[in-house]
Amino acid sequence: NAGVMQNPRHLVRRRGQEARLRCSPMKGHSHVYWYRQLPEEGLKFMVYLQKENIIDESGMPKERFSAEFPKEGPSILRIQQVVRGDSAAYFCASSPSGTVSTGELFFGEGSRLTVL
Amino acid sequence: RKEVEQDPGPFNVPEGATVAFNCTYSNSASQSFFWYRQDCRKEPKLLMSVYSSGNEDGRFTAQLNRASQYISLLIRDSKLSDSATYLCVVNTPQGAQKLVFGQGTRLTINP
C-alpha cells in the first residue's frame, strides 16, 4: 500500500522559471493538504483540496501560486516566476476524510525546491 | 502572536535523561492536539494525540491544560533514537479543518 508520493524530490529552478510539484495521495484518500517548510522553520499551511475543489487556500500567496487536484491524476502545486524566497521544502499530506480530529495526516517525503 | 508557539531549542540531553517540551496555542476554541516528530530532512509523522486527561505511550507522556492553553510532552529514559524535532500541532476549530504546526523543538540525545 503505497504512501503519499511526491515528485520531484528535488527541483532546481532559476529565478523567473516555473516550478510544478506533484502529489499522489494514499489510495482511498480524497483530501490533500500542501504545507511549506522554510529552512529552520515549522510547517506552514498553504492549501487544502478535495477532488476538483479548493476548500481552503488561506495560506497560499495570492500571486504566482496555484494548486489543483483534478478528478484524475495527482494534485499539483504550481509556482510561477519563482524567486529565491520560494526555496523551501513543500510537503503534501493526505487524509481519508476532511476531519482532522484524529490528527493523522499522512505526509509525503517532500519536494525540495531550490531557486538559484 | 503565533497560533502555536514552541521553544525551538536546541535541547541537548544525555541518554537516559528525562526531557520535557512545552507548547502554547492562541485559539481557545481549538479541540484537538497532537505531537508530531520530524527527523532531519524527513517528513513529519504523528507521534501521539494529546487528551485532556493526559495520556501515555510507553516512555512518552502528553498533557493538556485547556485553561492555560498549554500542551506538554515528556520523554523518559531518552534514547539516542529520540533525537529529532518535535512539533506541537493544533487543529483549527472553525471552517475547513486543518492542522497548524508549531515551529518545532529540536532535541539531541547524547551518548
Side-chain angles (χ1 to χ4, degrees):
Chain A
N1 189 13
V4 177
M5 304 299 292
Q6 288 189 249
N7 68 83
R9 293 288 311 281
H10 300 276
L11 182 64
V12 179
R13 285 288 178 266
R14 296 191 181 279
R15 280 179 296 168
Q17 291 184 319
E18 178 179 290
R20 196 174 286 230
L21 310 177
R22 288 175 289 278
C23 169
S24 295
M26 284 184 70
K27 188 176 181 180
H29 288 193
S30 58
H31 298 255
V32 165
Y33 303 78
W34 284 94
Y35 286 80
R36 174 165 66 174
Q37 187 170 36
L38 295 169
E40 306 302 320
E41 292 191 17
L43 280 81
K44 300 296 183 191
F45 168 80
M46 298 184 74
V47 62
Y48 162 32
L49 310 104
Q50 292 182 43
K51 285 283 186 182
E52 299 185 278
N53 288 306
I54 295 175
I55 306 302
D56 183 343
E57 57 182 348
S58 59
M60 201 147 70
K62 295 286 187 287
E63 297 178 355
R64 303 188 298 109
F65 285 73
S66 62
E68 62 176 10
F69 189 14
K71 187 176 179 181
E72 301 291 337
S75 175
I76 295 174
L77 179 67
R78 184 180 174 210
I79 311 172
Q80 295 177 290
Q81 299 172 340
V82 296
V83 301
R84 288 219 174 101
D86 296 333
S87 295
Y90 292 83
F91 287 97
C92 171
S94 73
S95 72
S97 71
T99 176
V100 292
S101 57
T102 62
E104 189 145 30
L105 289 183
F106 296 85
F107 281 85
E109 293 182 307
S111 291
R112 283 170 174 75
L113 172 66
T114 301
V115 179
L116 301 177
Chain B
R1 186 185 169 186
K2 290 182 181 176
E3 288 185 80
V4 181
E5 293 210 57
Q6 294 182 251
D7 179 349
F11 284 57
N12 290 284
V13 302
E15 194 175 6
T18 295
V19 61
F21 307 135
N22 304 320
C23 162
T24 56
Y25 59 96
S26 61
N27 193 326
S28 59
S30 296
Q31 294 295 320
S32 306
F33 311 91
F34 314 94
W35 285 99
Y36 270 67
R37 171 191 169 132
Q38 186 175 24
D39 292 297
C40 187
R41 300 188 68 78
K42 296 286 189 180
E43 73 275 21
K45 293 182 180 178
L46 178 66
L47 178 66
M48 60 194 301
S49 300
V50 186
Y51 302 119
S52 297
S53 54
N55 50 296
E56 200 172 293
D57 183 359
R59 299 180 293 109
F60 297 81
T61 301
Q63 298 273 1
L64 168 64
N65 184 323
R66 286 187 186 273
S68 302
Q69 294 177 211
Y70 171 99
I71 305 161
S72 67
L73 178 68
L74 182 80
I75 307 175
R76 290 182 302 277
D77 187 24
S78 52
K79 312 290 183 192
L80 296 177
S81 57
D82 293 334
S83 297
T85 296
Y86 290 83
L87 306 170
C88 178
V89 185
V90 176
N91 80 321
T92 55
Q94 304 97 351
Q97 291 194 11
K98 57 184 180 282
L99 297 184
V100 180
F101 286 75
Q103 179 184 2
T105 298
R106 185 179 295 177
L107 171 67
T108 300
I109 307 298
N110 301 308

